[in-house]
Amino acid sequence: MDKVIHIEDFSPALFWDIDRTKLDFEKNKRFIIERTLTHGTLADWFLLKGFYGKDVIKTESMQIRYLDKLTLSFCAAYFNESIENFRCYILKQSNPTHWGY
C-alpha cells in the first residue's frame, strides 16, 4: 500500500517563508519541485520522486527560471538532458554578468 504524502512530510526549512498549509501539490508543483531540488535533503528528494515521478519532475525542472550550477548539473545528468535544454541555462546566457564568479 502506498503512503499518502503530505507537505508536512518535507523538511520544514524548505517552506519556512510561506504558509505550508496553503500549498497545493498540483497548483504549486513547480515551486515545490524547485525548492526541493535547490534546498531539500535526500529524504525530500525521495518524497518528491514518490509523489510526482521522474517525468513530471523533469518537465517542471526544465522550465524553472533559476537553478544553481550544482542543481542544474545534477538535473541534466539525472534526466540525461543537455544543460542547454534547461530554461534557466538559456536565461543565464541571455543575461550575462560583468564578473562571472
Side-chain angles (χ1 to χ4, degrees), residues 32-88:
I32 293 169
I33 290 170
E34 179 180 359
R35 282 285 176 101
T36 304
L37 286 173
T38 57
H39 302 295
T41 64
L42 187 58
D44 294 325
W45 167 249
F46 288 127
L47 282 172
L48 190 72
K49 272 189 5 179
F51 187 80
Y52 290 116
K54 187 176 178 177
D55 292 335
V56 172
I57 297 170
K58 176 183 176 181
T59 302
E60 293 299 322
S61 68
M62 292 184 75
Q63 294 304 314
I64 293 172
R65 295 179 61 87
Y66 175 79
L67 291 174
D68 58 86
K69 289 179 183 180
L70 184 63
T71 304
L72 176 59
S73 296
F74 168 78
C75 288
Y78 185 78
F79 299 123
N80 198 23
E81 280 289 334
S82 173
I83 288 177
E84 290 86 11
N85 294 336
F86 285 81
R87 182 179 186 194
C88 61

Side-chain angles (χ1 to χ4, degrees), residues 17-42:
D17 58 339
I18 60 166
D19 183 2
R20 294 163 58 128
T21 60
K22 294 183 180 177
L23 280 178
D24 181 272
F25 274 106
E26 193 54 39
K27 290 180 186 175
N28 307 114
K29 74 176 140 188
R30 188 171 298 163
F31 175 73
I32 293 169
I33 290 170
E34 179 180 359
R35 282 285 176 101
T36 304
L37 286 173
T38 57
H39 302 295
T41 64
L42 187 58

